[in-house]
Amino acid sequence: MAVDLHLHSRFSDGSDSPTAIVDAAADLGLTGIALTDHDILDGVPEAAAAAKRRGILFVGGTELSVSWRDQSMHMLVYFLEPGSGPLQDRLGALQESRHNRNIEITSRLAGLGVEITFAEVQQEAGSGVVGRPHFAAVLMAKGHVASVAEAFDRYLAAGRPAYVPRMRLTAEEAIRLARETDAVAVIAHPHTLQLRSEEFAGGFRELVDIGLGGIEAHYSEYTPEMRNRIAAICADLGIVATGGSDYHGTYKPSLAVGTGTGDLRVPDEALHRLEEIR
Ligand code: AMP
Ligand code: ZN
Ligand code: FE
Ligand code: FE
């Protein structure tokens, strides 16, 4: 039996409602899912209700962009409910910083002769947090670029002219806040980090010492060999090998709920072990 612990809904930069994601997961026969919208928990109640109706396990969570050794790292945090709490109380500041960044991206684009309004981007995003994929969608719809990839390559990616950084927690802060919130922090898609393979386990040990609960091993962009290798490193470190599709609906059309690019299968032991170590 399988689960999917990395999913984005329209409350951040996915296109589907939480209910539609739960339905897709249940239809596929998954036994549990986690919703991990960027910096926001507003989709959690809807997803929890839908999961209860469909009889699958559900965990509320979020995906944070954090800094680690001068690098950008993505951190998934599981077992979060909306409301107040040590971690929840920081999400408001992260959202505000996002908002200011989005205004700045809009004016940088204008300075580059690319006329899109922030209202158009907000309209694209709906009621959730606005992210760069929404800018990419508007740039495409208005004919400024031919693809999402071109939008990032020309304008939005780090180092490109409309890139604007935003406030980040450090990896250590995120892990500590997660622990204080009775939640579990997990490193997402570690292949995006610059890390020599011999450093891989040792580099994470200091994070494990302060409470890191897992690393995402089951991820579409990894070969089966890499998934096994990361799972073995997790076993060595005494933490959980997690995984998920990173589904974003139409914003990343190559990824499906549960199966990612096709061959993903996250064992449901991943979810059970997260519950155990919580
Ligand atoms: P933001 O949270 O606004 O910084 O945007 C992050 C989102 O942009 C995540 O869903 C990323 O997967 C996506 N993203 C980042 N870089 C790229 C890229 N080069 N091409 C496509 N999507 C990207
Ligand atoms: Zn995203
Ligand atoms: Fe990510
Ligand atoms: Fe993600």
Side-chain angles (χ1 to χ4, degrees):
M1 294 305 239
V3 296
D4 188 337
L5 305 179
H6 191 159
L7 295 156
H8 297 274
S9 78
R10 67 182 183 211
F11 283 89
S12 66
D13 54 359
S15 60
D16 290 6
S17 68
T19 301
I21 291 172
V22 169
D23 282 336
D27 289 347
L28 191 68
L30 299 186
T31 57
I33 65 158
L35 185 69
T36 55
D37 279 314
H38 302 274
D39 299 338
I40 192 167
L41 297 169
D42 291 8
V44 165
E46 181 187 326
K52 196 168 174 193
R53 269 199 310 277
R54 294 298 306 260
I56 67 172
L57 297 171
F58 174 74
V59 172
T62 188
E63 183 175 21
L64 304 173
S65 297
V66 303
S67 56
W68 182 68
R69 294 184 172 182
D70 297 325
Q71 295 189 48
S72 172
M73 173 189 268
H74 286 189
M75 188 79 83
L76 296 160
V77 184
Y78 296 113
F79 307 111
L80 290 173
E81 298 285 331
S84 70
L87 183 68
Q88 289 88 336
D89 295 349
R90 301 296 280 273
L91 296 180
L94 295 175
Q95 287 165 20
E96 191 183 316
S97 151
R98 238 181 208 288
H99 181 75
N100 295 336
R101 176 192 63 162
N102 291 334
I103 304 287
E104 175 70 18
I105 290 176
T106 310
S107 63
R108 291 228 187 162
L109 286 170
L112 295 162
V114 179
E115 293 294 340
I116 66 171
T117 65
F118 185 55
E120 289 168 322
V121 181
Q122 261 176 323
Q123 165 115 21
E124 172 68 32
S127 58
V129 300
V130 176
R132 286 177 291 161
H134 302 120
F135 280 90
V138 172
L139 289 171
M140 238 176 95
K142 296 191 81 181
H144 295 290
V145 295
S147 67
V148 168
E150 189 188 340
F152 275 89
D153 290 347
R154 275 179 70 182
Y155 300 114
L156 301 170
R160 307 309 300 152
Y163 177 75
V164 181
R166 64 193 163 90
M167 187 180 102
R168 290 163 186 275
L169 301 173
T170 66
E172 292 81 0
E173 283 173 323
I175 291 168
R176 291 205 174 90
L177 285 166
R179 294 219 51 190
E180 288 166 22
T181 312
D182 198 18
V184 179
V186 168
I187 295 172
H189 45 70
H191 68 292
T192 53
L193 298 166
Q194 305 294 321
L195 204 60
R196 284 180 292 137
S197 58
E198 62 272 24
E199 285 179 333
F200 205 86
F204 295 139
R205 195 172 295 279
E206 60 203 60
L207 297 182
V208 173
D209 289 343
I210 61 169
L212 180 72
I215 300 175
E216 197 169 52
H218 304 280
Y219 195 77
S220 288
E221 284 176 44
Y222 294 136
T223 62
E225 293 72 31
M226 286 165 74
R227 294 175 203 173
N228 290 337
R229 196 157 59 84
I230 297 167
I233 289 169
C234 289
D236 276 350
L237 290 167
I239 58 175
V240 186
T242 70
S245 63
D246 211 355
Y247 179 71
H248 281 76
T250 56
Y251 287 93
K252 292 188 183 176
S254 61
L255 299 173
V257 173
T259 55
T261 52
D263 75 339
L264 188 73
R265 192 189 158 282
V266 184
D268 48 9
E269 186 199 337
L271 179 50
H272 299 144
R273 287 225 44 224
L274 280 179
E275 284 170 331
E276 277 166 25
I277 67 157
R278 186 184 177 185

